[in-house]
């Protein structure tokens, strides 16, 4: 029998008012769960629960709120295997990847559960007969909308700081990957999070997602997903004059100079785009290589890519729609006469033939204006682009609508830092690909979005500043 995934509203599993949608497994194409079709009425119920619980949650002592969040972290680690089973069924990801994501999700609750006394304010020296101070306060109800590539992880990334800052939450996971977000809300209840503080409404973006942004009680929205939907949501948020955090796509540049540690740079170049089958907004999908080492270095990368196997090192495309998108780009490359050094097709492994698996793919000598070097593919596809010198590397890196992350590899640290400071992106690695550490502020420039998740910085985006002036 198919598992039914229902909403989590006001501390309870809550059936849809409009039935369930079947979801196809990316591993074998069979229906594996049916997910509640959320409606405007379901969003309204969740928003009401979040509103009703907001005052008590906000004024609960910070120490107690922190204890609850840290209990969620501990419970996630204790129940890692059951979260792994759910996420694996929805995404087909391999065990190592999932273990890392679950640990990282726990780390968000631990980190923000520890920093719960932040964000803090300050005392302003204005005049001898006034005591003036600032403090940060929650928005109230925060809407969180997440995609399917890192389901539990991205829910945790937004929900943990939102709750730590004293907000309540209405969250909508991607319809394809709802199970772990609902399980997280259930776990949070078991850990003592009061009913209504963290609600999940499943269903489609065009209904549930838009309804969350439109709902009058929702005072801030954190969205992770595509540029197109980010733009749609921005218009809705503008009508209500509410702030957004937008974590959108990327086409991040990984720049390798001739004096780099080439073995390490090659292994990082592979990690940067093969992890999670390239379904990471911060993938390093443009490999900029100095022309003097191009042939040798790209060969080293190709040899490593050839060793990475779908089904072993990384999972399938998580949705069948994404599988079609990646195939579209591989077909486009073929129609342009581009010959991959490695990969270039869906997996030819018989055992994977009913799943959405793609071979890790590398193209060399790609022009910076080629669509494969400009558009976000969101799959395990890397293009190598040669450059002559530092100035050209910076110019090519910045010739992109996106600006999420990037990296520079060079033993000349002055050059590496000069370049790092000139790349238009929110996070840059120097002699390393970027890290997933929860402490590191993360977010985009240009079409990659605005606002910051992660780190202490995120708390400022889930709270607003108030100034209080006292006559002495
Ligand atoms: P998407 O289509 O933008 O969907 C993201 C979320 O928004 C899903 O929950 C989706 O619901 C919902 N949604 C869709 N239409 C909506 C609307 N009109 N109003 C409100 N919500 C709506 O993105 P995706 O295809 O799932 O994910 C891939 C994209 O996300 C890539 O471009 C990738 O770069 C980006 N991404 C960015 C980051 C980051 O941190 N910067 C992280 C991961 C992914 P349903 O799909 O369930 O209908
Ligand atoms: Mg979509």
């Amino acid at each position: 029998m198919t598992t039914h995934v229902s909403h989590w509203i006001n501390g309870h599993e809550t059936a849809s008012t409009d039935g369930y949608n079947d979801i196809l497994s990316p591993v074998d194409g069979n229906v594996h769960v049916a997910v509640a079709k959320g409606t405007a009425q379901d969003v309204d119920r969740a928003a009401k629960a979040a509103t009703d619980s907001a005052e008590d949650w906000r004024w609960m002592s910070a120490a107690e709120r922190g204890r609850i969040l840290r209990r969620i972290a501990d419970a996630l680690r204790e129940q890692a295997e059951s979260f792994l089973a759910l996420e694996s069924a929805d995404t087909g990801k391999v065990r190592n990847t999932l273990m890392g994501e679950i640990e990282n999700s726990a780390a968000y609750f631990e980190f923000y559960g520890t920093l719960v006394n932040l964000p803090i304010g300050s005392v302003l020296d204005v005049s001898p007969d006034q005591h003036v101070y600032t403090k940060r306060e929650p928005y109230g109800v925060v809407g969180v909308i997440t995609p399917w590539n890192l389901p539990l992880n991205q829910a945790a990334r937004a929900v943990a700081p939102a709750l730590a800052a004293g907000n309540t939450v209405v969250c909508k996971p991607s319809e394809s990957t709802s199970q772990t977000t609902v399980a997280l809300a259930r776990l949070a209840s078991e850990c003592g999070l009061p009913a209504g503080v963290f609600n999940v409404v499943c269903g489609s973006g065009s209904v549930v997602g838009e309804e969350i942004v439109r709902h009058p009680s929702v005072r801030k929205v954190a969205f992770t997903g595509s540029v197109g939907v980010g733009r749609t949501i921005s218009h809705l948020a503008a009508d209500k004059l509410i702030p957004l955090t937008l974590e959108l796509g990327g086409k991040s540049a990984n720049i390798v100079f001739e004096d780099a540690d080439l073995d390490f740079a090659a292994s990082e170049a592979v990690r940067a785009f093969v992890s999670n089958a390239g379904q990471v907004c911060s993938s390093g999908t443009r490999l900029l290589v100095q022309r003097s080492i191009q042939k040798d270095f790209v060969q080293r990368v190709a040899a490593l890519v050839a060793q990475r196997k779908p089904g072993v090192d990384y999972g399938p495309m998580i949705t069948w729609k994404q599988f079609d998108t990646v195939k579209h780009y591989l077909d486009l490359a073929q129609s342009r006469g581009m010959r991959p050094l490695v990969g270039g097709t869906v997996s030819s492994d018989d055992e994977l033939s009913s799943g959405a698996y793609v071979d890790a793919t590398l193209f060399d000598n790609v022009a910076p204006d080629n669509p494969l070097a400009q558009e976000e593919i969101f799959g395990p596809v890397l293009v190598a682009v040669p450059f002559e010198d530092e100035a050209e590397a910076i110019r090519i890196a910045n010739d992109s609508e996106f600006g999420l992350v990037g990296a520079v590899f060079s033993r000349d640290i002055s050059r590496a830092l000069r370049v790092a400071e000139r790349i238009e992106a929110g996070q840059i690695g120097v002699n390393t690909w970027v890290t997933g550490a929860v402490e590191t502020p993360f977010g985009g420039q240009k079409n990659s979005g605005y606002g910051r998740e992660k780190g202490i910085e995120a708390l400022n985006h889930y709270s607003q500043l108030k100034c209080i002036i006292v006559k002495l």
Side-chain angles (χ1 to χ4, degrees):
M1 211 185 73
T2 313
T3 306
H4 281 65
V5 184
S6 293
H7 312 308
W8 188 267
I9 298 175
N10 206 20
H12 297 286
E13 193 174 325
T14 306
S16 163
T17 46
D18 187 31
Y20 289 74
N21 271 339
D22 287 342
I23 305 297
L24 304 184
S25 157
V27 175
D28 58 19
N30 295 324
V31 173
H32 77 110
V33 286
V35 170
K37 247 196 269 178
T39 60
Q41 197 190 336
D42 295 330
V43 173
D44 193 52
R45 284 194 285 173
K48 183 169 186 315
T51 305
D52 290 348
S53 59
E55 281 292 294
D56 282 354
W57 177 246
R58 172 186 174 175
W59 296 112
M60 182 186 281
S61 80
E64 181 55 18
R65 273 194 280 123
R67 262 195 297 277
I68 295 172
L69 296 183
R70 293 196 307 277
R71 250 183 253 141
I72 297 172
D74 293 343
L76 259 175
R77 289 182 174 120
E78 282 156 19
Q79 298 181 32
E81 287 296 335
S82 70
F83 277 86
L84 190 146
L86 295 176
E87 199 86 301
S88 161
D90 276 353
T91 65
K93 294 184 194 218
V94 299
R95 186 177 176 85
N96 272 353
T97 303
L98 284 174
M99 274 306 190
E101 289 175 19
I102 293 165
E103 168 51 34
N104 203 237
S105 305
Y108 283 119
F109 282 93
E110 187 168 55
F111 180 69
Y112 291 110
T114 306
L115 293 183
V116 80
N117 276 313
L118 291 173
I120 50 175
S122 53
V123 177
L124 304 181
D125 190 4
V126 174
S127 87
D129 50 10
Q130 284 180 334
H131 171 65
V132 180
Y133 69 101
T134 64
K135 62 173 295 189
R136 299 199 73 94
E137 59 183 30
Y139 282 104
V141 182
V142 170
V144 172
I145 301 173
T146 56
W148 41 257
N149 60 324
L150 299 159
L152 176 68
N153 196 262
Q154 280 164 346
R157 188 181 75 185
V159 171
L163 297 181
N167 303 281
T168 59
V169 169
V170 178
C171 179
K172 189 205 97 67
S174 162
E175 193 171 27
S176 326
T177 55
S178 308
Q179 294 199 83
T180 50
T181 304
V182 176
L184 177 66
R186 178 193 297 272
L187 183 81
S189 288
E190 289 163 5
C191 291
L193 191 74
V197 172
F198 174 16
N199 308 276
V200 180
V201 183
C202 303
S204 77
S206 53
V207 177
V208 177
E210 287 199 18
E211 211 51 53
I212 288 174
V213 185
R214 281 208 184 92
H215 198 285
S217 304
V218 173
R219 300 311 308 159
K220 145 102 198 176
V221 169
F223 171 79
T224 306
S226 60
V227 175
V229 175
R231 196 168 276 128
T232 303
I233 285 180
S234 305
H235 288 288
L236 299 175
D239 284 339
K240 278 174 66 185
L241 299 173
I242 61 167
L244 289 178
T245 301
L246 293 180
E247 295 285 5
L248 308 177
K251 190 77 188 176
S252 296
N254 188 3
I255 304 173
V256 181
F257 284 95
E258 59 191 2
D259 65 345
D261 174 344
L262 296 184
D263 280 331
F264 185 64
S267 68
E268 288 290 90
V270 176
R271 181 169 77 88
F273 89 100
V274 175
S275 299
N276 206 22
Q279 300 164 108
V280 188
C281 46
S282 54
S283 280
T285 48
R286 291 188 295 153
L287 182 60
L288 276 47
V289 186
Q290 196 155 25
R291 206 179 284 280
S292 53
I293 54 157
Q294 181 191 356
K295 195 152 184 260
D296 169 59
F297 182 72
V298 176
Q299 284 302 336
R300 287 189 209 209
V301 174
L304 295 176
V305 174
Q307 293 169 11
R308 308 305 296 271
K309 298 293 175 218
V312 178
D313 299 306
Y314 56 92
M317 299 300 103
I318 293 167
T319 70
W320 288 93
K321 186 167 162 235
Q322 186 57 28
F323 186 56
D324 290 341
T325 300
V326 176
K327 282 195 296 186
H328 157 80
Y329 281 103
L330 297 177
D331 290 346
L332 180 68
Q334 201 177 29
S335 73
R336 290 177 158 241
M338 295 166 67
R339 294 256 174 76
L341 289 184
V342 198
T345 57
V346 304
S347 170
S348 56
D349 185 334
D350 278 349
E351 284 184 22
L352 303 179
S353 60
S354 37
Y357 293 91
V358 177
D359 283 340
T361 298
L362 170 60
F363 293 100
D364 192 14
N365 261 324
V366 178
D369 62 352
N370 186 301
L372 276 82
Q374 285 291 329
E375 296 169 22
E376 185 184 50
I377 300 172
F378 223 57
V381 181
L382 178 65
V383 296
V385 180
F387 68 84
E388 288 300 333
D389 55 16
E390 189 176 320
E392 195 184 21
I394 294 167
R395 190 179 57 69
I396 296 173
N398 290 340
D399 175 20
S400 169
E401 65 169 298
F402 298 109
L404 193 54
V405 305
V408 192
F409 287 80
S410 169
R411 285 196 171 93
D412 177 347
I413 196 68
S414 300
R415 168 164 69 186
L417 290 179
R418 267 196 313 272
V419 174
E421 294 195 10
R422 282 166 180 74
I423 299 177
E424 296 163 347
Q427 201 178 83
I428 309 284
V430 173
N431 292 324
T432 177
W433 186 245
V434 295
T435 153
V438 300
E439 295 86 351
T440 54
F442 177 79
Q445 300 186 1
K446 305 195 281 187
N447 281 0
S448 292
Y450 51 77
R452 290 293 178 269
E453 297 283 11
K454 307 175 65 173
I456 292 172
E457 191 58 28
L459 291 169
N460 290 329
H461 292 274
Y462 290 105
S463 62
Q464 49 194 339
L465 195 69
K466 175 176 275 180
C467 180
I468 296 182
I469 301 140
V470 185
K471 181 180 176 305
L472 297 179

